[in-house]
Amino acid sequence: MIDLTQAQEFRGKNLLPAGEYREVIENAEPTKSKAGSPMVKVTFDIDGTKIYDYLVLDPKSPRSYHLGLSKAKSILIAIGQKVLSYRNEMDLADALVGEIMLEVDIKNDEYMGEVREKNFIKKFSAVQAMTRPTRSEPRAAKDVIFNTEEIPF
């Protein structure tokens, strides 16, 4: 027997209302896109809802590449990062996670006038004097070599 009387009704994903939220980047991990391109998956936890942003870092996909670079630069500037050149995706991901709070402008995805169950980040802005602890499990320290020719900011 399967008794569903006490089960909660499934409501799908939490869809945040469009607007501005203050949060830090919870995690950033280097990974691969569906097409196999290198990218950094950036995770925000906003009021219990996970919002993801993807920074594609493959120059073979010019549109996605330039969008990924511009998002990365916007985030780094918003958190006050002075270094804008990184050796690889891992170093960039480590630089994104930290204690500086951002203001993120969330927009709801729409298609043909209908709001779909998806939030995405419209922009990143700096927030003054609001911080939270850094990454809970720091990665092993590495010798960082900065190559200004790798990322054309």
Side-chain angles (χ1 to χ4, degrees):
M1 177 175 168
I2 300 173
D3 182 9
L4 302 177
T5 57
Q6 301 302 314
Q8 291 191 7
E9 185 178 340
F10 178 73
R11 302 211 186 269
K13 296 182 194 177
N14 291 335
L15 186 64
L16 293 170
E20 293 183 351
Y21 297 84
R22 292 181 173 183
E23 191 53 70
V24 297
I25 294 174
E26 180 180 86
N27 197 18
E29 292 294 326
T31 186
K32 299 279 184 201
S33 70
K34 289 180 184 177
S37 298
M39 71 178 186
V40 174
K41 179 181 177 181
V42 182
T43 306
F44 293 86
D45 184 345
I46 301 173
D47 298 335
T49 299
K50 301 280 187 201
I51 304 290
Y52 303 97
D53 209 341
Y54 303 91
L55 311 176
V56 177
L57 303 171
D58 186 358
K60 295 175 191 162
S61 304
R63 184 172 180 215
S64 297
Y65 178 63
H66 291 293
L67 180 60
L69 293 179
S70 67
K71 284 182 179 181
K73 186 173 183 179
S74 294
I75 294 169
L76 292 166
I77 289 171
I79 62 175
Q81 183 62 262
K82 302 294 184 210
V83 177
L84 296 177
S85 182
Y86 299 92
R87 167 178 68 167
N88 54 36
E89 297 87 18
M90 180 69 75
D91 291 343
L92 174 60
D94 285 343
L96 294 171
V97 177
E99 60 190 47
I100 307 298
M101 187 165 284
L102 301 175
E103 189 167 279
V104 292
D105 190 358
I106 299 290
K107 184 175 178 186
N108 294 321
D109 192 18
E110 287 189 32
Y111 180 71
M112 297 182 72
E114 186 176 320
V115 175
R116 298 193 285 182
E117 291 288 315
K118 184 176 180 182
N119 289 124
F120 66 94
I121 298 173
K122 188 171 138 184
K123 74 175 185 176
F124 307 95
S125 306
V127 174
Q128 302 300 320
M130 297 183 79
T131 62
R132 188 173 96 180
T134 58
R135 179 189 294 272
S136 59
E137 297 176 18
R139 294 190 177 114
K142 310 181 252 329
D143 293 327
V144 178
I145 301 168
F146 298 104
N147 181 348
T148 57
E149 295 177 18
E150 282 187 13
I151 301 178
F153 287 117

